[in-house]
Amino acid sequence: MLTALVALAAEEAETPNPLLPAWYDIIWSSVCFVVILFIFWKVALPRLKKLLDERAAAIEGNIAKADEAQRRAEAALEEYTAQLAGARKEAGEIRDAARDDGRKIIAEAKETASSEAARLTASAHSQIEAERQSALVSLRSEVGTLAIDLAGGVIGESLADDKKAQGVVDRFLAELEASEAAAQKASK
């Protein structure tokens, strides 16, 4: 049995381990790995690095553009806000000026209306006074004529002296006005 064990051990020594490849496979695999690594290192890696650098530059450029656009947008917003504030201020000034103009127009209209009313009142008073004087003159002449006619009818003779007749009529009307003025004074 000893021989059988030795034979079995010898067989085992010649049988390769399935976990370890043969020496020639390791060498050829290492050579292929080194060649592929060299090609990757010299060709693929620079291209990949160049591609990544371009992407990084593009991203940085886009970030810079975005920052610039944001600065411009903020500047435009500030300008818009300033213009809006200026427009509001100007609108307030225009509104205040319009109110002042309205007040002036109303004051001028009131002044014009009061002066027109005063003019119309004065015109009416002068017209009334003229009509009163006209009525007074007309009344004096009619009353004088009637009084002379009546006095002539009572006396039975004609009062032809115009100066005397006019004096009597004027005295009579003066007494009538004095008694009327006294009655108005007493009623007040």
Side-chain angles (χ1 to χ4, degrees):
M1 178 129 127
L2 192 52
T3 49
L5 280 172
V6 173
L8 188 63
E11 266 183 39
E12 282 183 18
E14 290 181 17
T15 317
N17 187 356
L19 295 177
L20 288 176
W23 285 106
Y24 63 88
D25 283 337
I26 292 174
I27 292 173
W28 282 111
S29 295
S30 296
V31 169
C32 288
F33 179 75
V34 168
V35 169
I36 291 173
L37 182 65
F38 180 76
I39 291 172
F40 181 76
W41 191 269
K42 289 295 182 181
V43 176
L45 195 58
R47 287 184 183 171
L48 184 62
K49 184 178 178 187
K50 180 180 175 187
L51 179 67
L52 290 176
D53 288 343
E54 288 174 359
R55 284 192 179 178
I59 290 171
E60 288 174 3
N62 288 340
I63 289 173
K65 288 178 185 176
D67 288 343
E68 179 64 27
Q70 186 172 1
R71 280 193 298 275
R72 281 185 280 161
E74 288 173 356
L77 179 62
E78 288 175 7
E79 182 180 341
Y80 170 75
T81 305
Q83 287 176 350
L84 185 61
R88 285 183 179 157
K89 181 180 177 184
E90 185 178 344
E93 291 171 356
I94 290 171
R95 186 176 48 245
D96 292 341
R99 283 183 185 148
D100 291 342
D101 288 346
R103 287 186 195 117
K104 288 177 184 176
I105 289 170
I106 289 172
E108 288 174 2
K110 284 181 181 179
E111 185 179 317
T112 303
S114 71
S115 67
E116 184 66 20
R119 187 188 65 78
L120 288 175
T121 303
S123 173
H125 282 301
S126 66
Q127 186 177 1
I128 290 171
E129 185 60 32
E131 287 179 9
R132 183 177 165 273
Q133 290 298 327
S134 171
L136 187 60
V137 167
S138 172
L139 182 65
R140 279 183 184 231
S141 95
E142 285 181 23
V143 168
T145 305
L146 283 174
I148 290 176
D149 288 346
L150 285 174
V154 169
I155 299 176
E157 57 182 75
S158 169
L159 297 173
D161 186 12
D162 284 340
K163 284 188 179 184
K164 197 184 252 185
Q166 188 65 30
V168 170
V169 169
D170 285 343
R171 189 172 34 103
F172 173 73
L173 288 176
E175 289 174 5
L176 186 62
E177 285 178 359
S179 65
E180 189 176 291
Q184 283 182 354
K185 202 180 232 187
S187 68
K188 287 185 182 180

